Amino acid sequence: MFRDEKSSSSQVSLHCSDPPPGGDSSSTTTDSVSPVPNSYDSLEGGSYPESSVPPSVDEAKQAPPFGYGYPSMQPAYQQGPPPRTDSSPSHCGYNQTGMSQLSAALGGLSGVPELEVEALRPVNLLQERNLLPLRPLEAPEPHLSADLKKANCSPNTFRCTLTNIPQSQALLNKARLPLGLLLHPFRDLSQLPVITSNTIVRCRSCRAYINPFVSFLDQRRWKCNLCYRVNDVPDEFMYNPVTRSYGEPHKRPEVQNSTVEFIASSDYMARLPFPNVFCSVVQFHSYANSLGGGSVLVLRMPGDTRTRVGFVTFDSTIHFYNLHESLSQPQMLVVSDIDDVFIPTHDSLLVNLKESKELVRGLLTALPGMFFQTRETHSALGPALQAAYKLMSPTGGRVSLFQTQLPTLGHGLLQSREDPNQRSTTKGVQHLGPATDFYKKLALDCSGQQIGVDLFLLSSQYSDLASLACVSKYSAGSIFYYPSFHHVRNPAQLDKFRKDLERYLTRKIGFEAVMRIRCTKGLSIHTFHGNFFVRSTDLLSLANVNPDSGFAVQMSIEESLADTSLACFQAALLYTSSKGKRRIRVHTLCLPVVSQLSDVYAGADVQAITCLLANMAIDRSISSSLSDARDALVNAVVDSLSAYKSTVSNLQQSGLIAPASLCLFPLYVLALLKQKALRTGTSTRLDERVFAMCEFKTQPLQQVMRMVHPNLYRVDAMSDQGALHLSDCVVPQPHLLHLTAEKLTREGAFLMDCGSVFYLWIGKCCNQMFIREVLGCPNHASIPPNMTHIPELENPQSERLRAFLAWLQDSRTFSSTLHVVKDDASGKTSFFQYLVEDRSESAFSYYEFLLHVQQQISK
């Protein structure tokens, strides 16, 4: 139970740094009882202190239907809104000076010339072809005062599909646009205010954390920006640790920064933090060599002197390893009874990493040789995971699973469900869901014991990822897939795997996490997307949380927002760092509320809309069919442009008209339809399709957009004009090009950034000096067929391209592979499949797609 905040004065400190090194789930309906202890609900503030009287609670209302003209996609987790508390006092205006003057800071939106002229500028999509900006699209800025913009949360962390919130569900329905949030809550930050205080100031009604958008009625009272309750300012909060002054609560770091992290007290702990526990579960055969160098990485994992590690390997039996510090070498313990797995010893399988460092190093060095000559072909994956669960249940922690084939023995065994002859079908794609609930049930058990499972699938054969992925989806884990992996014949994939493994093992991590999203009274969350387990209506259980996972939520408007000019959203992530500290990371986003339909369109964030629709389409393809999901995406374009034409645009001209804010919407949806997760008519392996779906559900927005619509640049004539001058280098900034063969020329070289892979296409008539200075080859014919890196040559052209590639790589956390593609028949498939504006054998060209949309609107 959450207890009263302490009011005694204490020292408060502020650190501007990331905390010490410290989730992918589908939005599935969870009608089972949560395995997470009930106490976790109250830890983040779901209940009230016993000494306080909770405000009266209105009857919970059912969330209204989602505001689309086409049949709503079946979300996997729907809910009614949480109980709403009466505001005390009611919706009165904001008082006080500075940031507290929120209503006045907003101003009228409809009459803003810049928005009317640019965001609402009518664009005839059939006539204007060059719609891409010269640089990658930035998030639209909400129309707020300069002070509020400065205080607002970064769009890289917290982003809404509509930067102008409609004041009613009816207005949202008219716009035919989705309302939702995209979050990247635990991302790496270069600066993060870390606050240590006995008192974490929160609203006594809705439990929101104090933030830059609250109102200070005077020095002793503040009004919550979510539920409008008036709260007292604690005595300790009167002291400002930055200025070391007293009596200026509105200048505290919590009220100056929309992203902060609190060091939490024992009130926020269900139990004392356990040491970090990491367990690797590895299926070993000839791929064992790919884990070379793992001993060095394991020793670099985040944690402190209490960190513990363990190892389990398996084939048709389960192998444990005794690593007690008293031994001279690791001792293998084999359990052959896979139908009733037991732990052979409980005191030396998970050992202190520091104390047993040499034994761990020796084991990881010896393992590849131990299994290199094995002829074993069976895989008892289910029993191996059950063993890891039993081993880690007392403490929780992270399981790293390395799997190379379809499980064939014991619980969780699977049969091949893929028909290779159906990979190019234009009809329904089968088996996108799991074949068994074994892995989901095991994941829920793991989540209940605070165990997250991360899956590395290294296989060139069908492995039923649709079933295996459940073990990570519902335990807040991550999924990595290497579909053409071979440690000898595919060095590019091997290199990517090792770089990904390095990032994975050394990135910060949070344990025993829960995340709650709160929003202004009148707004309601009804669907979550990502990897997690839903603990309650607005609380996500994350056994592990990592800085590379994103989440999405769908929202509706259940009560009119006419009495307020601002809507706010707050995400609070409570977790245990790798150093054993309980922390709360809080992000707050503020957006204006509007009453005009034109303003709703003016504030549309086309990239956020595309990402949210992608999540909804993935759910629809699994719960219904792939064709239904594709139809719903097309209807989303038809409905929004039809609504704009009939309600906002007064132009009588023929053609397909869109506001400038949505002019890229049809292009992005067409790109989605041609993406591996949702395409039809193009040969697509089932596991690769499922993995692409998993990526959409768990990647942050920037990475998803690179997957959906890659960035294409011409790079054979880059100069320093317009370049970024960074501290250690000059980075050229070539212009973006449309994804069509019309933009390619055989005299040029073109770089395509697809997110996880770069393609460098070299035209057959490309300047030989460029080929020689950049690739180190005398001419086009001499470029090797499998070139995967750019040599370091000392000349301006080489330095420019390598600087540009490094700059692009720095914008993502995991390594992207590079493939040099020659302009010949062998290079066309890999590169030209991403030219989404061109017609393919099974899909529209962009112009044909626009004509199709126009025809649907005219019906």
Side-chain angles (χ1 to χ4, degrees):
M1 180 67 72
F2 182 83
R3 297 195 288 274
D4 285 314
E5 289 93 349
K6 301 170 187 174
S7 59
S8 59
S9 179
S10 65
Q11 184 178 1
V12 183
S13 61
L14 174 70
H15 310 284
C16 286
S17 63
D18 210 22
D24 161 359
S25 152
S26 337
S27 43
T28 38
T29 304
T30 50
D31 50 9
S32 58
V33 178
S34 166
V36 183
N38 289 335
S39 55
Y40 278 90
D41 191 19
S42 62
L43 288 185
E44 199 283 317
S47 56
Y48 301 96
E50 293 179 2
S51 59
S52 66
V53 179
S56 62
V57 177
D58 295 331
E59 252 182 63
K61 307 180 187 116
Q62 185 65 32
F66 198 65
Y68 282 88
Y70 54 89
S72 62
M73 300 179 180
Q74 288 293 327
Y77 178 73
Q78 285 195 333
Q79 67 185 44
R84 293 289 180 182
T85 57
D86 291 331
S87 57
S88 176
S90 60
H91 307 270
C92 54
Y94 291 90
N95 301 312
Q96 189 65 359
T97 58
M99 283 194 209
S100 304
Q101 203 75 10
L102 297 183
S103 295
L106 179 63
L109 195 66
S110 299
V112 178
E114 313 89 77
L115 287 176
E116 293 296 330
V117 171
E118 185 47 43
L120 289 176
R121 176 176 60 85
V123 177
N124 190 330
L125 300 178
L126 292 171
Q127 293 180 358
E128 297 191 33
R129 297 296 304 275
N130 297 315
L131 296 175
L132 276 182
L134 298 180
R135 302 277 185 265
L137 198 63
E138 299 287 340
E141 279 196 353
H143 184 63
L144 300 168
S145 70
D147 284 343
L148 294 184
K149 284 182 182 178
K150 183 179 178 181
N152 220 355
C153 194
S154 165
N156 293 328
T157 300
F158 216 155
R159 198 156 162 178
C160 187
T161 57
L162 303 175
T163 58
N164 297 326
I165 304 299
Q167 70 174 205
S168 67
Q169 183 68 36
L171 186 60
L172 177 62
N173 291 343
K174 285 183 181 179
R176 304 291 181 91
L177 293 172
L179 177 60
L181 302 169
L182 289 102
L183 294 88
H184 192 181
F186 201 54
R187 73 184 186 95
D188 292 324
L189 298 171
S190 57
Q191 281 202 327
L192 175 65
V194 179
I195 301 166
T196 303
S197 172
N198 283 342
T199 303
I200 297 177
V201 179
R202 303 176 65 180
C203 175
R204 300 287 287 177
S205 177
C206 70
R207 310 304 295 149
Y209 296 80
I210 198 167
N211 60 79
F213 310 107
V214 304
S215 299
F216 283 93
L217 306 182
D218 51 46
Q219 284 191 340
R220 290 294 181 179
R221 294 181 303 155
W222 64 278
K223 186 164 69 172
C224 177
N225 54 317
L226 299 187
C227 72
Y228 313 112
R229 167 147 182 176
V230 176
N231 297 270
D232 293 332
V233 176
D235 289 339
E236 183 182 344
F237 201 75
M238 299 295 290
Y239 176 73
N240 186 349
V242 178
T243 62
R244 298 186 179 181
S245 59
Y246 191 82
E248 295 180 323
H250 62 284
K251 292 185 178 180
R252 289 266 306 196
E254 300 96 314
V255 189
Q256 293 292 313
N257 298 276
S258 59
T259 291
V260 296
E261 186 149 290
F262 298 97
I263 305 296
S265 66
S266 58
D267 294 336
Y268 292 85
M269 299 179 187
R271 60 182 186 181
L272 292 176
F274 279 91
N276 299 344
V277 180
F278 302 100
C279 181
S280 294
V281 180
V282 184
Q283 180 195 0
F284 262 107
H285 53 37
S286 59
Y287 290 167
N289 281 337
S290 62
L291 295 176
S295 59
V296 176
L297 296 176
V298 168
L299 298 178
R300 290 172 50 197
M301 288 193 301
D304 54 21
T305 55
R306 304 181 305 154
T307 299
R308 298 166 67 189
V309 297
F311 300 89
V312 176
T313 60
F314 66 98
D315 39 38
S316 60
T317 57
I318 314 299
H319 323 121
F320 298 88
Y321 296 90
N322 185 342
L323 297 169
H324 194 275
E325 58 181 309
S326 63
L327 297 175
S328 59
Q329 63 182 21
Q331 178 186 26
M332 180 192 289
L333 306 173
V334 180
V335 174
S336 57
D337 185 359
I338 61 173
D339 294 323
D340 187 16
V341 175
F342 62 92
I343 304 302
T345 178
H346 287 274
D347 59 356
S348 56
L349 301 182
L350 291 173
V351 297
N352 184 283
L353 178 58
K354 183 178 180 181
E355 295 172 355
S356 300
K357 179 172 64 176
E358 293 307 318
L359 284 173
V360 170
R361 192 195 306 271
L363 175 63
L364 290 174
T365 302
L367 275 177
M370 292 166 58
F371 291 90
F372 186 69
Q373 299 296 330
T374 182
R375 295 183 179 274
E376 180 65 71
T377 59
H378 286 294
S379 168
L381 171 62
L385 284 172
Q386 289 176 323
Y389 167 74
K390 292 182 178 181
L391 188 61
M392 299 187 69
S393 287
T395 60
R398 181 179 75 188
V399 172
S400 304
L401 170 62
F402 298 87
Q403 174 72 3
T404 62
Q405 67 178 81
L406 202 68
T408 57
L409 292 177
H411 299 290
L413 70 86
L414 299 169
Q415 305 291 331
S416 178
R417 299 187 291 162
E418 182 183 38
D419 181 358
N421 296 322
Q422 297 297 312
R423 289 175 180 172
S424 302
T425 182
T426 56
K427 301 179 181 179
V429 177
Q430 303 297 315
H431 309 307
L432 294 175
T436 173
D437 63 358
F438 170 82
Y439 293 100
K440 178 179 178 179
K441 288 182 176 179
L442 180 60
L444 296 181
D445 290 339
C446 288
S447 180
Q449 299 302 319
Q450 302 301 324
I451 302 168
V453 182
D454 299 318
L455 170 63
F456 288 80
L457 182 58
L458 305 94
S459 176
S460 58
Q461 303 298 319
Y462 175 71
S463 301
D464 198 354
L465 184 58
S467 298
L468 298 183
C470 292
V471 77
S472 297
K473 285 181 180 181
Y474 299 102
S475 66
S478 300
I479 301 170
F480 303 86
Y481 179 44
Y482 306 87
S484 55
F485 184 86
H486 194 281
H487 71 285
V488 174
R489 292 193 289 269
N490 195 336
Q493 281 260 300
L494 176 60
D495 184 60
K496 175 171 173 54
F497 167 66
R498 286 179 170 170
K499 289 180 178 178
D500 288 354
L501 185 63
E502 178 177 8
R503 164 66 183 174
Y504 168 76
L505 290 176
T506 59
R507 69 186 178 184
K508 72 174 182 287
I509 184 173
F511 298 96
E512 298 188 59
V514 291
M515 183 170 69
R516 176 173 268 125
I517 302 173
R518 298 176 172 89
C519 48
T520 291
K521 181 179 180 180
L523 294 169
S524 174
I525 296 170
H526 63 81
T527 307
F528 296 92
H529 301 275
N531 279 6
F532 48 74
F533 180 77
V534 181
R535 169 65 186 90
S536 63
T537 54
D538 62 347
L539 189 73
L540 305 184
S541 172
L542 308 168
N544 294 170
V545 62
N546 70 76
D548 303 321
S549 291
F551 303 87
V553 298
Q554 292 170 235
M555 307 187 71
S556 58
I557 305 170
E558 62 170 21
E559 297 176 15
S560 173
L561 304 176
D563 293 334
T564 183
S565 56
L566 293 169
C568 292
F569 311 88
Q570 188 175 85
L573 178 68
L574 172 65
Y575 72 97
T576 300
S577 75
S578 60
K579 304 293 186 183
K581 301 293 184 182
R582 203 68 171 148
R583 291 172 174 257
I584 312 165
R585 187 172 296 192
V586 180
H587 309 284
T588 309
L589 175 68
C590 177
L591 296 172
V593 174
V594 298
S595 58
Q596 300 297 318
L597 190 59
S598 59
D599 295 333
V600 177
Y601 285 113
D605 185 337
V606 67
Q607 291 190 333
I609 289 170
T610 301
C611 289
L612 185 62
L613 286 175
N615 277 277
M616 297 167 66
I618 299 305
D619 282 353
R620 181 66 170 267
S621 64
I622 296 173
S623 63
S624 180
S625 69
L626 190 60
S627 60
D628 280 355
R630 289 170 57 85
D631 289 344
L633 286 171
V634 176
N635 289 338
V637 178
V638 172
D639 289 347
S640 60
L641 297 190
S642 177
Y644 171 76
K645 179 181 179 180
S646 61
T647 58
V648 177
S649 175
N650 295 319
L651 299 177
Q652 300 302 315
Q653 67 187 87
S654 61
L656 184 61
I657 309 300
S661 60
L662 290 175
C663 67
L664 294 177
F665 190 28
L667 177 61
Y668 286 159
V669 167
L670 177 63
L672 263 179
L673 295 174
K674 294 187 176 185
Q675 215 278 338
K676 195 172 292 186
L678 297 167
R679 70 189 183 191
T680 59
T682 302
S683 181
T684 307
R685 290 186 174 188
L686 187 54
D687 279 346
E688 293 186 28
R689 185 186 297 275
V690 170
F691 178 65
M693 292 180 168
C694 294
E695 291 274 272
F696 276 143
K697 299 282 285 184
T698 60
Q699 291 295 316
L701 180 144
Q702 293 85 355
Q703 183 70 357
V704 170
M705 286 310 303
R706 283 189 286 259
M707 293 164 50
V708 172
H709 188 273
N711 293 327
L712 179 64
Y713 309 90
R714 182 166 181 171
V715 295
D716 61 302
M718 291 191 295
S719 69
D720 292 342
Q721 184 177 358
L724 295 177
H725 292 265
L726 305 180
S727 57
D728 55 346
C729 65
V730 177
V731 181
Q733 296 291 290
H735 292 170
L736 281 177
L737 300 175
H738 279 265
L739 292 174
T740 171
E742 293 178 6
K743 298 298 181 181
L744 302 180
T745 170
R746 289 189 163 180
E747 288 74 31
F750 297 83
L751 180 71
M752 187 183 289
D753 178 4
C754 304
S756 61
V757 60
F758 294 112
Y759 289 104
L760 178 59
W761 186 80
I762 309 296
K764 186 171 290 186
C765 303
C766 183
N767 188 302
Q768 289 194 13
M769 180 177 292
F770 175 84
I771 296 175
R772 184 167 55 252
E773 292 190 350
V774 172
L775 302 181
C777 301
N779 51 49
H780 186 274
S782 63
I783 300 173
N786 297 313
M787 192 171 186
T788 57
H789 73 282
I790 303 296
E792 294 188 16
L793 304 176
E794 295 184 5
N795 63 73
Q797 288 212 83
S798 175
E799 290 170 358
R800 286 193 188 101
L801 182 56
R802 286 186 288 109
F804 184 52
L805 279 168
W807 179 73
L808 292 175
Q809 180 64 63
D810 285 345
S811 66
R812 65 211 73 190
T813 53
F814 284 98
S815 173
S816 298
T817 56
L818 171 70
H819 296 280
V820 179
V821 181
K822 295 171 66 175
D823 175 18
D824 57 27
S826 64
K828 286 187 176 180
T829 302
S830 59
F831 186 81
F832 282 77
Q833 65 175 326
Y834 293 99
L835 298 179
V836 297
E837 295 189 34
D838 295 340
R839 179 176 178 79
S840 63
E841 294 180 1
S842 59
F844 285 138
S845 70
Y846 176 54
Y847 187 74
E848 291 170 332
F849 182 66
L850 294 178
L851 291 176
H852 175 71
V853 171
Q854 183 186 36
Q855 183 182 26
Q856 295 300 308
I857 291 175
S858 301
K859 283 185 177 180

